Amino acid sequence: LLLDDIDRGLHPSAQRELIHQLMDFASARTKIVCTSHSPYVLDPLPVTAVRVVLADPQSGATSIVRLDSHPEWPKWSKSMTPADFWQYVGDEDWPGGGAP
């Protein structure tokens, strides 16, 4: 199941509730991929489920990396949620200038 910008038009509490509902629905046979720019969507998720899409400024090529692959994640993992960490490092503050 692919869902684009699932946070659009939803109150932050509704975004969190939607994620909880989708997590309950997901199974070994049903995978769900969602896009969002909302930290409220990330909060209920385990960091291992969060991916970041990075664009290389020179070539325009994109890559998808796990949020917990960032070298600073181990340092902050005990004190930040995935949403806090994503807001801290952003989409461009990755080793290699925006793309791994």
Side-chain angles (χ1 to χ4, degrees):
L1 180 61
L2 302 172
L3 303 169
D4 189 30
D5 285 331
I6 62 169
D7 54 286
R8 280 192 88 164
L10 293 178
H11 186 275
S13 62
Q15 292 176 28
R16 282 191 216 93
E17 180 58 30
L18 176 60
I19 293 303
H20 287 292
Q21 294 291 326
L22 290 172
M23 289 169 58
D24 289 344
F25 179 74
S27 68
R29 294 186 59 191
T30 304
K31 301 298 179 203
I32 301 172
V33 176
C34 305
T35 66
S36 177
H37 295 268
S38 171
Y40 303 108
V41 169
L42 297 182
D43 273 339
L45 296 171
V47 71
T48 56
V50 178
R51 304 296 187 267
V52 178
V53 178
L54 303 172
D56 184 299
Q58 277 80 30
S59 69
T62 58
S63 58
I64 300 172
V65 297
R66 286 174 50 149
L67 182 63
D68 62 349
S69 72
H70 193 283
E72 289 194 41
W73 173 249
K75 174 181 170 184
W76 296 105
S77 64
K78 301 287 191 259
S79 60
M80 287 188 178
T81 66
D84 293 334
F85 186 69
W86 174 59
Q87 289 178 314
Y88 170 68
V89 297
D91 296 339
E92 289 136 22
D93 190 17
W94 287 76

